[in-house]
Amino acid sequence: CYGERRRRKFMDHCTKGTHNGRRTASAQSPHCMAQLFNRRFAGDFAMNYCCYTVSGKKVALLPPISVQINVHEDAPADDMTVIFPLIEQVPKIATIRVWNGEKPIFSGIIDEQIMGVTKNGAMLKLIARSRAALLLDNEAMPQEYHYPSLTQLYERHVEPYGFCGFIGNGGTFDTKMTITKGMSEWQVIEEFCVRCFGTIPFVTADDYIDCSGAVPNEQLVFDNSDASCIPYLSILYRDKFYKRVSELYIQPKLGQAYTSVVHDDQAHKLGVQRRRFVVSNNYRGTRMIDSAKRKAVEVTVVCAGGICGSLKMPVVISDAILGTIDKLSIAGWTYTLNSNGERCEYLLRKEDI
């Protein structure tokens, strides 16, 4: 019964990854890998991996021996590199999806499919990016919009690339948007969101484009002294003074005078002297200053095990030496699975500094 249950789970075509925070198998021969898969593990695995061909057919693969997923607020497209052991040839893979239990973690298109054979056996390496990559890689048709709406822009510039929907206000706005030659589909949506919502869009792990700017309701607390909180392996706190901009001089249009200045008072108090000159408006200038301030403080937290947070999620750290650090949020994370087990590294930034 046990062997049959393992075989059925394999034939379910959704490759399952780690168990109890440990790797599923070492980089041994495909025969050994198959044996390990069939007899070593009981219970539910944490991560599920499903690969599909262009026609939508699932591809059966053994559990991965190496995984890395990178998510960052400064990069519209998430990326993933995964290595599977091979016991036979596989067809061309077009997409991959990853779940942590029932929660989607990654959905992307395959950029590279690499098959290799060594004395240790055969392996399949997949390099993928999230669906946002399609918006970055494709150029938008030059045109002009009067009274644009998110609904209209989504239907023309996002939906054709296989997205499931959008999150945000779909109504029209009293503005004009000009799409110039060379703008990407992503730049069109980003420009609209910045101008009309004051937000930066991002693509969710279930292929929606979120333009709402909403912050998750949940909060993560990292604390090694409280069993109800998330334990950590290490914390690194960085003050990046060089990221701050003390003064930003704004030129409304090219060739005109620099008519306004945006200051970062905290930068002046810290003795930072760094000025920039940009062609923009006051609103964008303020956003540039705020972005520089946010990047000036970064905290890296490394935890054993899987992923327990998402972008923008509020975070509090409690440590015997560093004390309590609040007003943080997740700016990015990197999940890795290898011979040393599972771990997740979180990049946190200050919301108010």
Side-chain angles (χ1 to χ4, degrees):
C1 292
Y2 170 75
E4 179 65 12
R5 184 170 70 252
R6 293 292 90 198
R7 187 189 66 81
R8 285 176 180 173
K9 287 199 173 186
F10 170 69
M11 294 309 295
D12 198 29
H13 291 182
C14 285
T15 298
K16 297 201 169 185
T18 61
H19 172 63
N20 291 337
R22 299 185 63 82
R23 64 190 179 120
T24 55
S26 58
Q28 300 180 36
S29 70
H31 177 69
C32 291
M33 292 295 302
Q35 285 183 331
L36 285 169
F37 177 76
N38 285 328
R39 66 195 168 116
R40 277 191 60 186
F41 299 104
D44 294 328
F45 294 96
M47 302 282 278
N48 302 308
Y49 302 82
C50 289
C51 296
Y52 305 87
T53 64
V54 174
S55 64
K57 182 181 178 181
K58 291 180 181 178
V59 179
L61 294 169
L62 292 173
I65 58 176
S66 174
V67 180
Q68 180 167 314
I69 304 174
N70 300 300
V71 175
H72 202 290
E73 66 179 13
D74 294 336
D78 308 334
D79 67 86
M80 174 182 182
T81 301
V82 56
I83 298 176
F84 298 96
L86 278 183
I87 55 175
E88 60 184 4
Q89 285 195 14
V90 295
K92 303 299 183 186
I93 297 173
T95 58
I96 184 171
R97 292 179 180 271
V98 182
W99 288 270
N100 186 6
E102 296 183 355
K103 180 182 178 182
I105 295 298
F106 182 87
S107 173
I109 57 172
I110 303 301
D111 280 338
E112 291 187 58
Q113 177 173 334
I114 306 162
M115 289 186 286
V117 179
T118 69
K119 64 180 181 180
N120 293 321
M123 288 181 288
L124 169 68
K125 182 177 182 179
L126 300 177
I127 301 174
R129 289 180 296 162
S130 65
R131 198 163 290 275
L134 294 172
L135 304 183
L136 293 167
D137 293 349
N138 282 275
E139 189 175 335
M141 178 183 293
Q143 56 192 293
E144 195 169 84
Y145 286 102
H146 295 268
Y147 299 97
S149 71
L150 180 56
T151 301
Q152 181 185 42
L153 295 179
Y154 172 80
E155 290 174 350
R156 294 188 180 182
H157 300 279
V158 180
E159 190 175 38
Y161 300 100
F163 285 77
C164 296
F166 67 85
I167 302 170
N169 182 355
T172 59
F173 286 80
D174 185 9
T175 186
K176 183 178 76 171
M177 273 188 62
T178 301
I179 302 174
T180 57
K181 174 71 175 69
M183 286 182 68
S184 68
E185 303 281 34
W186 177 264
Q187 287 175 311
V188 173
I189 294 297
E190 184 180 48
E191 171 68 22
F192 176 81
C193 289
V194 169
R195 184 185 300 186
C196 298
F197 300 146
T199 64
I200 299 295
F202 75 97
V203 174
T204 67
D206 50 357
D207 292 336
Y208 283 79
I209 186 161
D210 190 342
C211 306
S212 67
V215 176
N217 295 324
E218 302 89 347
Q219 176 179 270
L220 288 185
V221 180
F222 295 106
D223 187 344
N224 280 345
S225 64
D226 189 337
S228 66
C229 300
I230 301 170
Y232 53 85
L233 299 175
S234 66
I235 298 175
L236 196 63
Y237 188 102
R238 295 185 181 93
D239 277 308
K240 294 187 171 183
F241 304 113
Y242 70 94
K243 289 288 187 179
R244 286 186 177 271
V245 176
S246 56
E247 298 171 337
L248 192 68
Y249 292 79
I250 299 172
Q251 183 184 52
K253 291 184 179 180
L254 193 63
Q256 295 183 354
Y258 289 90
T259 56
S260 59
V261 184
V262 181
H263 294 273
D264 178 359
D265 295 332
Q266 186 64 25
H268 287 290
K269 292 179 181 178
L270 292 170
V272 175
Q273 291 181 300
R274 188 170 293 105
R275 65 179 183 176
R276 296 288 184 268
F277 295 83
V278 297
V279 180
S280 185
N281 53 42
N282 283 354
Y283 175 74
R284 283 186 174 274
T286 301
R287 285 187 63 88
M288 290 177 187
I289 288 286
D290 290 342
S291 176
K293 289 165 62 177
R294 177 166 166 77
K295 295 175 182 178
V297 174
E298 289 187 349
V299 184
T300 303
V301 180
V302 178
C303 300
I307 304 153
C308 52
S310 57
L311 282 184
K312 301 183 182 179
M313 184 175 286
V315 174
V316 174
I317 295 174
S318 180
D319 180 77
I321 302 297
L322 298 177
T324 299
I325 310 172
D326 58 5
K327 296 181 180 178
L328 296 168
S329 66
I330 296 178
W333 52 263
T334 296
Y335 167 82
T336 57
L337 165 70
N338 53 35
S339 59
N340 296 317
E342 273 186 307
R343 70 171 50 194
C344 194
E345 180 177 308
Y346 299 93
L347 174 67
L348 313 176
R349 287 174 174 168
K350 275 281 191 180
E351 285 294 330
D352 183 20
I353 59 174

